[in-house]
Amino acid sequence: MTAASRQEKLAAIFKSAIVIPVLTIERFEDAVPLARALVAGGVRVLEVTLRTPVAADAAKAMISEVPEAIVGIGTILNADDLARAKALGAKFGISPGATPELLKAAAGTDLPFAPGVATASELMQALAAGFDIVKFFPAEQSGGIKALRALAGPFPSIRVCPTGGIGEANAASWLAEPNVVAVGGSWLCPAADIRSGNWAGITAMCARTMKSLKPA
Ligand code: 3PG
């Protein structure tokens, strides 16, 4: 796969998603019902973060048992995490950052990958390594939409998935920005709902969100 086709694959995934829930799964047994609840609410592109001991197994179970879900791996911090994401069959990878080591490893695989950036210098490193689709993180805390617009001045070609501080109240404003292809965040699956198995509540929130954000 060429670098360009890898990037276009990622763009297609993000565009089809509009909203990407950032999932932190504490208990393996929650993985499949959670994925089913999200898909039932119209949210199919899922980011499973490598933040818990069960994360990789949870992602694997989602991939094999919920084929409608498009499962990616988040919180990729280094080349090992990237290799783990690819090995378990993830469709894409996302990182909160953009270290030279990680960018080099990502440029050498065909896994669609979005590095994380919050500054012009990080963005320049990502672009130099061939990554023009980035996670803007932490989006609200780094200056929000004003900061994104400022970055888009010198870098008009970037495509962005902001995450960090995004929720029902501001998702639409972010998505109205011309550079924003999708938004990510944890608000669609609150930890309390996962803990209590409130799958119907998660489905309902997803359905409401998708209805309000999806262009007619
Ligand atoms: C992340 O990768 O942790 C996301 O940015 C989640 O941020 P949120 O909890 O503010 O949605």
Side-chain angles (χ1 to χ4, degrees), residues 118-182:
T119 67
S121 293
E122 289 159 0
L123 192 47
M124 285 160 71
Q125 294 199 57
L127 290 169
F131 297 96
D132 66 340
I133 306 171
V134 295
K135 165 172 168 142
F136 178 40
F137 175 78
E140 281 291 337
Q141 298 87 338
S142 301
I145 288 174
K146 278 189 187 162
L148 176 64
R149 284 183 186 159
L151 285 170
F155 308 107
S157 66
I158 55 167
R159 291 169 283 180
V160 178
C161 176
T163 74
I166 296 179
E168 214 169 344
N170 59 359
S173 310
W174 280 99
L175 284 164
E177 292 300 303
N179 292 314
V180 172
V181 283

Side-chain angles (χ1 to χ4, degrees), residues 22 47 49 51 135 137 141 163-166 184-187:
V22 175
E47 175 188 340
T49 60
R51 293 181 198 177
K135 165 172 168 142
F137 175 78
Q141 298 87 338
T163 74
I166 296 179
S186 60
W187 87 95

